[in-house]
Amino acid sequence: MASRGKTETSKLKQNLEEQLDRLMQQLQDLEECREELDADEYEETKKETLEQLSEFNDSLKKIMSGNMTLVDELSGMQLAIQAAISQAFKTPEVIRLFAKKQPGQLRTRLAEMDRDLMVGKLERDLYTQQKVEILTALRKLGEKLTEDDEAFLSANAGAVLSQFEKVSTDLGSGDKVLALAGFEVEKAKK
């Protein structure tokens, strides 16, 4: 974290303030609509909102006491991503180049593999596996693939690589990761 947590802390604070505002607005709306609701519906909704406020307060206490931090939540997600990568990529070189975000070197490796296949230095199965890994890594790094590469990937990508693509696409940018972290915190409290 180059920002040493400042950006993440700011986002967390903003999310917490928005959650508090939402809960307070929910209570206010409930009071304003009291006449439109029957007594049981009003009491149940008010009870649920107060429980949410209580859970929110408990999570604030945990954060303030140091029992739970944003970094811990993100570390857990990072481990999940690493597990997906380790299952998806079997070639250590591809993992290394992907982790270092080096699309140029991945493309160079792909060209070397094409050459090795043509001269018989590389078996077709190994070539297919490694090419799928490299093309998937390039796509995840935001590189544009040719139509032929896309067709090759579609024809040869296995379920594990497809799952990796889904997980990493779902997580997306830092903002989405932070939103997911917030959601996971909410879910853990329930």
Side-chain angles (χ1 to χ4, degrees):
M1 283 186 216
S3 68
R4 302 209 184 270
K6 288 180 185 175
T7 304
E8 294 80 3
T9 300
S10 174
K11 286 267 189 202
L12 179 60
K13 182 180 177 203
Q14 180 184 353
N15 287 344
L16 292 172
E17 289 172 350
E18 288 172 0
Q19 184 177 359
L20 180 60
D21 289 344
R22 181 187 60 77
L23 290 169
M24 290 299 152
Q25 185 64 47
Q26 193 171 318
L27 276 176
Q28 183 179 345
D29 291 347
L30 185 61
E31 289 303 321
E32 291 173 3
C33 297
R34 186 176 190 162
E35 300 300 323
E36 299 170 15
L37 303 171
D38 64 62
D40 290 344
E41 192 175 19
Y42 169 79
E43 288 300 324
E44 183 178 327
T45 306
K46 185 172 183 176
K47 181 182 172 198
E48 288 175 1
T49 303
L50 291 174
E51 284 175 2
Q52 289 175 10
L53 268 171
S54 176
E55 292 171 358
F56 179 71
N57 188 44
D58 291 345
S59 68
L60 281 178
K61 286 178 186 174
K62 280 184 180 178
I63 290 170
M64 289 169 37
S65 69
N67 289 339
M68 178 175 67
T69 66
L70 180 61
V71 175
D72 289 342
E73 293 293 321
L74 295 178
S75 294
M77 284 185 285
Q78 188 175 28
L79 288 174
I81 292 168
Q82 288 170 347
I85 291 170
S86 68
Q87 290 178 16
F89 296 146
K90 293 177 177 58
T91 311
E93 183 181 10
V94 174
I95 295 170
R96 182 178 54 79
L97 295 174
F98 176 73
K100 291 185 175 185
K101 298 183 178 182
Q102 297 177 328
Q105 289 183 339
L106 284 166
R107 289 197 185 276
T108 300
R109 176 71 183 121
L110 194 55
E112 290 169 358
M113 287 171 35
D114 288 338
R115 181 199 64 219
D116 289 349
L117 180 69
M118 284 185 203
V119 298
K121 284 178 62 179
L122 189 62
E123 292 180 24
R124 172 67 65 184
D125 289 345
L126 185 58
Y127 168 82
T128 300
Q129 173 205 322
Q130 289 184 6
K131 184 170 181 175
V132 166
E133 290 176 12
I134 289 173
L135 292 175
T136 302
L138 287 169
R139 182 188 284 165
K140 290 286 99 200
L141 291 173
E143 293 291 304
K144 187 80 174 141
L145 300 181
T146 66
E147 286 183 27
D148 289 342
D149 288 342
E150 289 285 356
F152 183 89
L153 201 53
S154 295
N156 295 292
V160 173
L161 280 172
S162 297
Q163 182 62 26
F164 166 68
E165 283 223 293
K166 181 185 182 322
V167 167
S168 57
T169 299
D170 289 349
L171 289 180
S173 69
D175 289 341
K176 290 179 185 174
V177 170
L178 287 173
L180 181 60
F183 175 75
E184 292 299 324
V185 169
E186 290 288 317
K187 198 165 77 174
K189 289 188 298 188
K190 292 181 181 173

